[in-house]
Amino acid sequence: MLVFVGSNSSKSINEQLTKAVLKELNVTHTFVDLKTLDIPLFSEDLEREIKSPKGIVVLKDQINTFEHIFITTNEHNQNLSAFFKNILDWLSRTELKFLEHKKIFILSTSNGKRGGLGANESLQKLIERFGCEVYESYAFSSFSENFNKETQQITNKDFLQEINNKLNRILKS
Protein backbone atom coordinates (compact mmCIF):
# COMPACT_ATOMS: atom_id res chain seq x y z
CA MET A 1 0.00 0.00 0.00
CA LEU A 2 1.28 3.46 -0.90
CA VAL A 3 0.79 6.02 1.88
CA PHE A 4 1.10 9.80 1.89
CA VAL A 5 -0.15 12.75 3.92
CA GLY A 6 -1.37 15.98 2.31
CA SER A 7 0.11 18.25 4.96
CA ASN A 8 3.35 20.20 4.81
CA SER A 9 3.43 20.89 8.56
CA SER A 10 6.45 19.56 10.46
CA LYS A 11 4.11 18.84 13.41
CA SER A 12 1.19 17.51 11.38
CA ILE A 13 -1.40 15.73 13.50
CA ASN A 14 -2.52 13.99 10.30
CA GLU A 15 0.95 12.53 9.82
CA GLN A 16 1.11 11.51 13.49
CA LEU A 17 -2.24 9.74 13.17
CA THR A 18 -1.27 8.04 9.91
CA LYS A 19 1.98 6.68 11.31
CA ALA A 20 0.19 5.45 14.44
CA VAL A 21 -2.44 3.65 12.33
CA LEU A 22 0.25 2.00 10.21
CA LYS A 23 2.15 0.88 13.29
CA GLU A 24 -0.81 -0.25 15.40
CA LEU A 25 -2.44 -2.15 12.53
CA ASN A 26 0.88 -3.47 11.20
CA VAL A 27 0.11 -2.44 7.63
CA THR A 28 2.73 -3.26 4.99
CA HIS A 29 3.33 0.01 3.20
CA THR A 30 5.59 2.46 1.41
CA PHE A 31 5.42 5.95 2.91
CA VAL A 32 6.09 8.98 0.70
CA ASP A 33 6.85 12.24 2.47
CA LEU A 34 5.34 14.80 0.09
CA LYS A 35 7.19 17.61 1.86
CA THR A 36 10.47 16.33 0.38
CA LEU A 37 9.38 16.32 -3.27
CA ASP A 38 10.16 19.96 -4.22
CA ILE A 39 6.99 20.71 -6.16
CA PRO A 40 6.48 24.32 -7.27
CA LEU A 41 3.15 26.11 -7.32
CA PHE A 42 1.23 25.06 -10.42
CA SER A 43 0.80 27.47 -13.31
CA GLU A 44 0.12 26.85 -16.98
CA ASP A 45 3.21 28.92 -17.86
CA LEU A 46 5.42 26.71 -15.69
CA GLU A 47 3.74 23.59 -17.07
CA ARG A 48 4.60 24.69 -20.64
CA GLU A 49 8.17 25.33 -19.55
CA ILE A 50 8.93 22.16 -17.56
CA LYS A 51 5.97 19.87 -18.41
CA SER A 52 5.98 18.29 -14.93
CA PRO A 53 8.20 18.70 -11.85
CA LYS A 54 10.53 15.80 -11.02
CA GLY A 55 8.74 15.28 -7.69
CA ILE A 56 5.44 14.75 -9.49
CA VAL A 57 7.03 12.29 -11.92
CA VAL A 58 8.42 10.30 -8.96
CA LEU A 59 5.07 10.37 -7.12
CA LYS A 60 3.10 9.37 -10.23
CA ASP A 61 5.49 6.45 -10.85
CA GLN A 62 4.90 5.30 -7.27
CA ILE A 63 1.13 5.65 -7.62
CA ASN A 64 1.29 3.54 -10.81
CA THR A 65 3.12 0.80 -8.90
CA PHE A 66 0.47 0.31 -6.21
CA GLU A 67 -3.13 -0.91 -6.35
CA HIS A 68 -3.98 0.35 -2.83
CA ILE A 69 -3.38 3.93 -1.72
CA PHE A 70 -3.84 5.42 1.76
CA ILE A 71 -4.19 9.20 1.67
CA THR A 72 -4.48 11.38 4.75
CA THR A 73 -5.69 14.89 4.15
CA ASN A 74 -5.45 17.83 6.47
CA GLU A 75 -8.07 20.54 6.48
CA HIS A 76 -7.78 24.29 5.96
CA ASN A 77 -11.06 26.21 6.17
CA GLN A 78 -13.08 23.00 5.68
CA ASN A 79 -11.23 22.16 2.48
CA LEU A 80 -7.99 20.66 1.20
CA SER A 81 -4.81 22.56 2.04
CA ALA A 82 -3.25 24.62 -0.76
CA PHE A 83 -0.13 22.41 -0.46
CA PHE A 84 -2.05 19.21 -1.17
CA LYS A 85 -4.36 20.74 -3.79
CA ASN A 86 -1.26 21.89 -5.67
CA ILE A 87 0.08 18.32 -5.75
CA LEU A 88 -3.27 17.01 -6.98
CA ASP A 89 -3.37 19.72 -9.67
CA TRP A 90 0.05 18.69 -10.97
CA LEU A 91 -0.82 14.98 -10.87
CA SER A 92 -4.07 15.51 -12.77
CA ARG A 93 -2.23 17.47 -15.45
CA THR A 94 0.09 14.53 -16.09
CA GLU A 95 -2.98 12.32 -16.58
CA LEU A 96 -6.53 13.15 -15.49
CA LYS A 97 -7.32 9.55 -14.54
CA PHE A 98 -4.09 9.03 -12.57
CA LEU A 99 -6.02 7.04 -9.95
CA GLU A 100 -7.79 4.76 -12.40
CA HIS A 101 -8.24 1.23 -11.04
CA LYS A 102 -6.85 2.29 -7.64
CA LYS A 103 -8.44 1.40 -4.33
CA ILE A 104 -8.21 4.32 -1.95
CA PHE A 105 -8.52 4.83 1.80
CA ILE A 106 -8.93 8.47 2.91
CA LEU A 107 -8.23 9.51 6.48
CA SER A 108 -8.49 12.96 8.03
CA THR A 109 -8.33 14.43 11.48
CA SER A 110 -8.60 17.72 13.32
CA ASN A 111 -9.14 18.81 16.87
CA GLY A 112 -12.78 19.52 16.08
CA LYS A 113 -15.74 17.16 16.27
CA ARG A 114 -15.91 16.84 12.47
CA GLY A 115 -12.35 15.49 12.24
CA GLY A 116 -11.45 17.23 9.00
CA LEU A 117 -14.64 16.05 7.32
CA GLY A 118 -14.75 19.02 4.91
CA ALA A 119 -11.36 18.14 3.40
CA ASN A 120 -12.22 14.45 3.50
CA GLU A 121 -15.40 15.05 1.48
CA SER A 122 -13.59 17.36 -0.97
CA LEU A 123 -10.98 14.69 -1.60
CA GLN A 124 -13.69 12.04 -2.08
CA LYS A 125 -15.25 14.14 -4.87
CA LEU A 126 -11.88 14.72 -6.54
CA ILE A 127 -10.68 11.13 -6.53
CA GLU A 128 -13.87 10.05 -8.30
CA ARG A 129 -12.96 12.52 -11.05
CA PHE A 130 -9.45 11.07 -11.14
CA GLY A 131 -10.85 7.60 -11.82
CA CYS A 132 -10.39 5.66 -8.59
CA GLU A 133 -12.21 2.36 -8.42
CA VAL A 134 -13.17 2.03 -4.76
CA TYR A 135 -12.70 4.14 -1.70
CA GLU A 136 -13.38 4.15 2.01
CA SER A 137 -12.96 7.15 4.27
CA TYR A 138 -12.79 8.01 7.93
CA ALA A 139 -12.81 11.37 9.74
CA PHE A 140 -11.04 10.96 13.10
CA SER A 141 -12.69 13.55 15.33
CA SER A 142 -11.28 15.44 18.31
CA PHE A 143 -7.68 14.40 17.72
CA SER A 144 -6.29 15.69 21.03
CA GLU A 145 -8.94 13.81 23.00
CA ASN A 146 -8.43 10.51 21.14
CA PHE A 147 -4.67 10.44 20.57
CA ASN A 148 -1.76 10.46 23.00
CA LYS A 149 0.90 12.73 21.50
CA GLU A 150 3.51 11.55 24.00
CA THR A 151 3.23 7.86 23.14
CA GLN A 152 2.02 8.48 19.57
CA GLN A 153 -0.88 6.08 20.08
CA ILE A 154 -4.58 6.15 19.38
CA THR A 155 -6.38 6.09 22.72
CA ASN A 156 -9.88 5.60 21.31
CA LYS A 157 -9.83 1.91 20.40
CA ASP A 158 -13.30 2.13 18.80
CA PHE A 159 -11.89 4.62 16.29
CA LEU A 160 -8.93 2.32 15.63
CA GLN A 161 -11.29 -0.62 15.05
CA GLU A 162 -13.40 1.41 12.58
CA ILE A 163 -10.27 2.44 10.68
CA ASN A 164 -9.08 -1.17 10.65
CA ASN A 165 -12.44 -2.35 9.26
CA LYS A 166 -12.38 0.24 6.46
CA LEU A 167 -8.74 -0.46 5.58
CA ASN A 168 -9.46 -4.18 5.42
CA ARG A 169 -12.41 -3.59 3.06
CA ILE A 170 -10.07 -1.71 0.72
CA LEU A 171 -7.30 -4.28 0.94
CA LYS A 172 -9.72 -7.16 0.27
CA SER A 173 -11.55 -5.46 -2.61
Side-chain angles (χ1 to χ4, degrees):
M1 174 174 275
L2 182 67
V3 180
F4 54 88
V5 178
S7 172
N8 61 347
S9 170
S10 63
K11 297 179 192 256
S12 169
I13 62 174
N14 286 278
E15 187 169 327
Q16 291 174 54
L17 176 61
T18 301
K19 288 180 175 179
V21 166
L22 294 168
K23 183 178 179 185
E24 291 190 44
L25 298 180
N26 198 25
V27 176
T28 302
H29 67 280
T30 297
F31 184 85
V32 177
D33 186 348
L34 299 179
K35 298 183 296 290
T36 66
L37 295 182
D38 189 29
I39 299 169
L41 186 60
F42 176 82
S43 77
E44 290 179 349
D45 294 334
L46 186 56
E47 181 184 31
R48 278 191 295 276
E49 182 184 324
I50 67 169
K51 183 128 173 109
S52 191
K54 290 177 186 168
I56 290 297
V57 173
V58 167
L59 181 58
K60 180 136 183 331
D61 287 347
Q62 289 176 310
I63 288 170
N64 287 340
T65 303
F66 290 86
E67 178 182 10
H68 301 95
I69 302 174
F70 178 156
I71 304 170
T72 305
T73 181
N74 60 325
E75 182 177 76
H76 290 179
N77 297 319
Q78 298 183 359
N79 211 327
L80 302 173
S81 68
F83 170 78
F84 190 42
K85 178 68 169 66
N86 182 58
I87 290 170
L88 295 172
D89 288 344
W90 275 112
L91 284 167
S92 69
R93 296 299 282 216
T94 63
E95 179 184 354
L96 181 61
K97 301 288 186 183
F98 70 93
L99 291 177
E100 194 164 35
H101 307 298
K102 303 300 177 186
K103 297 165 184 169
I104 313 288
F105 176 66
I106 302 169
L107 180 64
S108 63
T109 194
S110 74
N111 281 311
K113 292 186 191 285
R114 291 175 35 93
L117 186 60
N120 196 309
E121 291 173 338
S122 293
L123 185 56
Q124 289 174 42
K125 289 176 188 169
L126 276 175
I127 65 171
E128 290 172 356
R129 183 171 180 250
F130 299 148
C132 84
E133 184 177 320
V134 177
Y135 70 84
E136 288 278 346
S137 68
Y138 189 78
F140 187 100
S141 62
S142 306
F143 177 80
S144 293
E145 295 171 25
N146 295 299
F147 190 89
N148 184 322
K149 287 185 180 184
E150 220 174 271
T151 63
Q152 293 292 293
Q153 291 182 311
I154 297 167
T155 56
N156 186 321
K157 297 308 176 191
D158 291 336
F159 284 11
L160 184 60
Q161 186 59 51
E162 286 184 59
I163 292 167
N164 185 45
N165 293 342
K166 289 176 179 281
L167 262 175
N168 279 329
R169 279 196 289 276
I170 287 295
L171 293 170
K172 291 178 182 176
S173 63

Short mmCIF file of all heavy atoms in Angstrom, two decimals, residues 13-14 17 21 107-117 120 138-148 153-156 158-160 163:
data_model
loop_
_atom_site.label_atom_id
_atom_site.label_comp_id
_atom_site.label_asym_id
_atom_site.label_seq_id
_atom_site.Cartn_x
_atom_site.Cartn_y
_atom_site.Cartn_z
N ILE A 13 -0.66 16.74 12.75
CA ILE A 13 -1.40 15.73 13.50
C ILE A 13 -1.90 14.64 12.54
O ILE A 13 -2.07 13.49 12.95
CB ILE A 13 -2.56 16.33 14.33
CG1 ILE A 13 -3.60 17.03 13.45
CG2 ILE A 13 -2.00 17.26 15.40
CD1 ILE A 13 -4.83 17.53 14.20
N ASN A 14 -2.11 14.98 11.29
CA ASN A 14 -2.52 13.99 10.30
C ASN A 14 -1.41 12.97 10.05
O ASN A 14 -1.66 11.78 9.93
CB ASN A 14 -2.96 14.67 9.01
CG ASN A 14 -4.31 15.32 9.16
OD1 ASN A 14 -5.33 14.66 9.05
ND2 ASN A 14 -4.31 16.61 9.46
N LEU A 17 -1.16 10.73 13.17
CA LEU A 17 -2.24 9.74 13.17
C LEU A 17 -1.96 8.64 12.14
O LEU A 17 -2.10 7.45 12.45
CB LEU A 17 -3.58 10.41 12.87
CG LEU A 17 -4.78 9.47 12.75
CD1 LEU A 17 -5.01 8.70 14.04
CD2 LEU A 17 -6.02 10.26 12.34
N VAL A 21 -1.57 4.66 12.94
CA VAL A 21 -2.44 3.65 12.33
C VAL A 21 -1.59 2.57 11.67
O VAL A 21 -1.82 1.36 11.87
CB VAL A 21 -3.40 4.29 11.29
CG1 VAL A 21 -4.05 3.23 10.41
CG2 VAL A 21 -4.46 5.14 11.99
N LEU A 107 -8.16 9.22 5.06
CA LEU A 107 -8.23 9.51 6.48
C LEU A 107 -8.03 11.01 6.67
O LEU A 107 -7.29 11.64 5.92
CB LEU A 107 -7.13 8.74 7.22
CG LEU A 107 -7.03 8.91 8.73
CD1 LEU A 107 -8.28 8.37 9.43
CD2 LEU A 107 -5.78 8.20 9.27
N SER A 108 -8.71 11.56 7.65
CA SER A 108 -8.49 12.96 8.03
C SER A 108 -8.69 13.08 9.53
O SER A 108 -9.33 12.25 10.15
CB SER A 108 -9.46 13.89 7.29
OG SER A 108 -10.80 13.59 7.66
N THR A 109 -8.10 14.13 10.07
CA THR A 109 -8.33 14.43 11.48
C THR A 109 -8.21 15.93 11.71
O THR A 109 -7.63 16.65 10.89
CB THR A 109 -7.38 13.66 12.42
OG1 THR A 109 -7.89 13.76 13.76
CG2 THR A 109 -5.96 14.18 12.38
N SER A 110 -8.77 16.35 12.82
CA SER A 110 -8.60 17.72 13.32
C SER A 110 -8.96 17.67 14.80
O SER A 110 -9.39 16.63 15.30
CB SER A 110 -9.52 18.70 12.58
OG SER A 110 -10.85 18.55 12.99
N ASN A 111 -8.77 18.77 15.46
CA ASN A 111 -9.14 18.81 16.87
C ASN A 111 -10.63 19.06 17.07
O ASN A 111 -11.12 18.98 18.18
CB ASN A 111 -8.31 19.87 17.61
CG ASN A 111 -6.93 19.34 17.93
OD1 ASN A 111 -6.80 18.24 18.45
ND2 ASN A 111 -5.91 20.10 17.59
N GLY A 112 -11.34 19.30 15.99
CA GLY A 112 -12.78 19.52 16.08
C GLY A 112 -13.57 18.22 16.01
O GLY A 112 -13.03 17.15 15.70
N LYS A 113 -14.86 18.33 16.25
CA LYS A 113 -15.74 17.16 16.27
C LYS A 113 -15.96 16.56 14.88
O LYS A 113 -16.34 15.41 14.76
CB LYS A 113 -17.08 17.52 16.90
CG LYS A 113 -16.96 17.82 18.38
CD LYS A 113 -18.33 18.04 19.01
CE LYS A 113 -18.23 18.58 20.39
NZ LYS A 113 -17.85 17.70 21.41
N ARG A 114 -15.72 17.35 13.83
CA ARG A 114 -15.91 16.84 12.47
C ARG A 114 -14.68 16.10 11.94
O ARG A 114 -14.76 15.40 10.95
CB ARG A 114 -16.29 17.98 11.53
CG ARG A 114 -17.67 18.53 11.82
CD ARG A 114 -18.03 19.75 10.99
NE ARG A 114 -17.53 19.79 9.64
CZ ARG A 114 -18.19 19.36 8.55
NH1 ARG A 114 -19.41 18.87 8.68
NH2 ARG A 114 -17.66 19.47 7.35
N GLY A 115 -13.53 16.26 12.58
CA GLY A 115 -12.35 15.49 12.24
C GLY A 115 -11.81 15.72 10.84
O GLY A 115 -11.31 14.80 10.20
N GLY A 116 -11.95 16.95 10.35
CA GLY A 116 -11.45 17.23 9.00
C GLY A 116 -12.39 16.75 7.91
O GLY A 116 -11.99 16.53 6.77
N LEU A 117 -13.67 16.60 8.25
CA LEU A 117 -14.64 16.05 7.32
C LEU A 117 -14.77 16.86 6.03
O LEU A 117 -14.96 16.30 4.95
CB LEU A 117 -16.01 15.92 8.00
CG LEU A 117 -17.10 15.23 7.20
CD1 LEU A 117 -16.70 13.79 6.85
CD2 LEU A 117 -18.41 15.24 7.98
N ASN A 120 -11.98 15.85 3.83
CA ASN A 120 -12.22 14.45 3.50
C ASN A 120 -13.25 14.35 2.38
O ASN A 120 -13.04 13.65 1.38
CB ASN A 120 -12.69 13.72 4.77
CG ASN A 120 -12.60 12.23 4.69
OD1 ASN A 120 -13.08 11.63 3.74
ND2 ASN A 120 -12.02 11.62 5.70
N TYR A 138 -12.53 7.88 6.50
CA TYR A 138 -12.79 8.01 7.93
C TYR A 138 -12.30 9.38 8.41
O TYR A 138 -11.17 9.78 8.11
CB TYR A 138 -12.07 6.91 8.72
CG TYR A 138 -12.50 6.88 10.17
CD1 TYR A 138 -13.71 6.31 10.53
CD2 TYR A 138 -11.72 7.46 11.16
CE1 TYR A 138 -14.13 6.30 11.86
CE2 TYR A 138 -12.13 7.45 12.49
CZ TYR A 138 -13.34 6.87 12.83
OH TYR A 138 -13.75 6.87 14.14
N ALA A 139 -13.16 10.08 9.12
CA ALA A 139 -12.81 11.37 9.74
C ALA A 139 -12.65 11.12 11.24
O ALA A 139 -13.62 10.81 11.94
CB ALA A 139 -13.89 12.41 9.47
N PHE A 140 -11.43 11.22 11.71
CA PHE A 140 -11.04 10.96 13.10
C PHE A 140 -11.25 12.24 13.90
O PHE A 140 -10.46 13.18 13.81
CB PHE A 140 -9.57 10.54 13.11
CG PHE A 140 -9.02 10.08 14.43
CD1 PHE A 140 -8.91 8.72 14.70
CD2 PHE A 140 -8.57 10.98 15.38
CE1 PHE A 140 -8.35 8.28 15.90
CE2 PHE A 140 -8.02 10.56 16.57
CZ PHE A 140 -7.92 9.19 16.84
N SER A 141 -12.33 12.30 14.64
CA SER A 141 -12.69 13.55 15.33
C SER A 141 -11.90 13.77 16.61
O SER A 141 -11.36 12.83 17.20
CB SER A 141 -14.19 13.55 15.63
OG SER A 141 -14.52 12.50 16.50
N SER A 142 -11.86 15.03 17.03
CA SER A 142 -11.28 15.44 18.31
C SER A 142 -9.93 14.78 18.57
O SER A 142 -9.73 14.09 19.57
CB SER A 142 -12.27 15.13 19.44
OG SER A 142 -13.52 15.70 19.17
N PHE A 143 -8.99 15.03 17.68
CA PHE A 143 -7.68 14.40 17.72
C PHE A 143 -7.05 14.41 19.11
O PHE A 143 -6.63 13.38 19.62
CB PHE A 143 -6.74 15.08 16.71
CG PHE A 143 -5.34 14.54 16.73
CD1 PHE A 143 -5.03 13.35 16.09
CD2 PHE A 143 -4.32 15.21 17.40
CE1 PHE A 143 -3.74 12.84 16.09
CE2 PHE A 143 -3.03 14.71 17.41
CZ PHE A 143 -2.73 13.51 16.76
N SER A 144 -6.97 15.57 19.74
CA SER A 144 -6.29 15.69 21.03
C SER A 144 -6.95 14.89 22.14
O SER A 144 -6.29 14.51 23.11
CB SER A 144 -6.19 17.17 21.45
OG SER A 144 -5.33 17.85 20.56
N GLU A 145 -8.22 14.60 21.99
CA GLU A 145 -8.94 13.81 23.00
C GLU A 145 -8.81 12.30 22.74
O GLU A 145 -9.08 11.50 23.63
CB GLU A 145 -10.42 14.19 23.01
CG GLU A 145 -10.67 15.61 23.45
CD GLU A 145 -12.12 16.03 23.24
OE1 GLU A 145 -13.01 15.15 23.21
OE2 GLU A 145 -12.35 17.25 23.09
N ASN A 146 -8.43 11.92 21.53
CA ASN A 146 -8.43 10.51 21.14
C ASN A 146 -7.06 9.99 20.72
O ASN A 146 -6.96 8.88 20.18
CB ASN A 146 -9.43 10.29 20.00
CG ASN A 146 -10.84 10.54 20.45
OD1 ASN A 146 -11.34 9.86 21.34
ND2 ASN A 146 -11.49 11.54 19.86
N PHE A 147 -6.03 10.80 20.97
CA PHE A 147 -4.67 10.44 20.57
C PHE A 147 -3.70 10.93 21.63
O PHE A 147 -3.81 12.07 22.08
CB PHE A 147 -4.34 11.08 19.22
CG PHE A 147 -3.06 10.61 18.60
CD1 PHE A 147 -3.04 9.51 17.77
CD2 PHE A 147 -1.86 11.27 18.85
CE1 PHE A 147 -1.86 9.06 17.18
CE2 PHE A 147 -0.67 10.84 18.27
CZ PHE A 147 -0.67 9.72 17.44
N ASN A 148 -2.77 10.08 22.02
CA ASN A 148 -1.76 10.46 23.00
C ASN A 148 -0.51 10.90 22.24
O ASN A 148 0.19 10.07 21.65
CB ASN A 148 -1.45 9.28 23.92
CG ASN A 148 -0.46 9.63 25.01
OD1 ASN A 148 0.49 10.38 24.80
ND2 ASN A 148 -0.69 9.07 26.19
N GLN A 153 0.07 7.18 20.18
CA GLN A 153 -0.88 6.08 20.08
C GLN A 153 -2.31 6.60 20.08
O GLN A 153 -2.63 7.59 20.75
CB GLN A 153 -0.71 5.11 21.25
CG GLN A 153 0.59 4.34 21.19
CD GLN A 153 0.69 3.35 22.34
OE1 GLN A 153 0.45 3.71 23.49
NE2 GLN A 153 1.07 2.13 22.01
N ILE A 154 -3.15 5.87 19.39
CA ILE A 154 -4.58 6.15 19.38
C ILE A 154 -5.16 5.63 20.68
O ILE A 154 -4.98 4.46 21.01
CB ILE A 154 -5.24 5.48 18.16
CG1 ILE A 154 -4.66 6.06 16.87
CG2 ILE A 154 -6.76 5.65 18.21
CD1 ILE A 154 -4.99 5.27 15.63
N THR A 155 -5.82 6.50 21.43
CA THR A 155 -6.38 6.09 22.72
C THR A 155 -7.82 5.62 22.59
O THR A 155 -8.31 4.90 23.44
CB THR A 155 -6.29 7.23 23.75
OG1 THR A 155 -6.96 8.38 23.21
CG2 THR A 155 -4.85 7.57 24.07
N ASN A 156 -8.50 6.02 21.53
CA ASN A 156 -9.88 5.60 21.31
C ASN A 156 -9.84 4.33 20.45
O ASN A 156 -9.71 4.38 19.23
CB ASN A 156 -10.66 6.71 20.62
CG ASN A 156 -12.13 6.37 20.50
OD1 ASN A 156 -12.50 5.23 20.23
ND2 ASN A 156 -12.98 7.38 20.68
N ASP A 158 -12.17 2.26 19.73
CA ASP A 158 -13.30 2.13 18.80
C ASP A 158 -12.96 2.79 17.46
O ASP A 158 -13.28 2.25 16.39
CB ASP A 158 -14.57 2.76 19.38
CG ASP A 158 -15.12 1.99 20.57
OD1 ASP A 158 -14.84 0.77 20.68
OD2 ASP A 158 -15.84 2.60 21.39
N PHE A 159 -12.32 3.95 17.52
CA PHE A 159 -11.89 4.62 16.29
C PHE A 159 -10.90 3.75 15.53
O PHE A 159 -11.00 3.59 14.32
CB PHE A 159 -11.22 5.97 16.61
CG PHE A 159 -12.17 7.08 16.97
CD1 PHE A 159 -13.51 6.86 17.24
CD2 PHE A 159 -11.69 8.38 17.05
CE1 PHE A 159 -14.37 7.91 17.58
CE2 PHE A 159 -12.53 9.43 17.39
CZ PHE A 159 -13.87 9.20 17.64
N LEU A 160 -9.94 3.18 16.26
CA LEU A 160 -8.93 2.32 15.63
C LEU A 160 -9.60 1.12 14.97
O LEU A 160 -9.25 0.75 13.85
CB LEU A 160 -7.90 1.87 16.66
CG LEU A 160 -6.74 1.04 16.11
CD1 LEU A 160 -5.95 1.82 15.06
CD2 LEU A 160 -5.82 0.60 17.24
N ILE A 163 -11.29 2.23 11.71
CA ILE A 163 -10.27 2.44 10.68
C ILE A 163 -9.79 1.10 10.15
O ILE A 163 -9.67 0.90 8.93
CB ILE A 163 -9.10 3.29 11.24
CG1 ILE A 163 -9.57 4.72 11.52
CG2 ILE A 163 -7.91 3.28 10.27
CD1 ILE A 163 -8.60 5.54 12.34
#
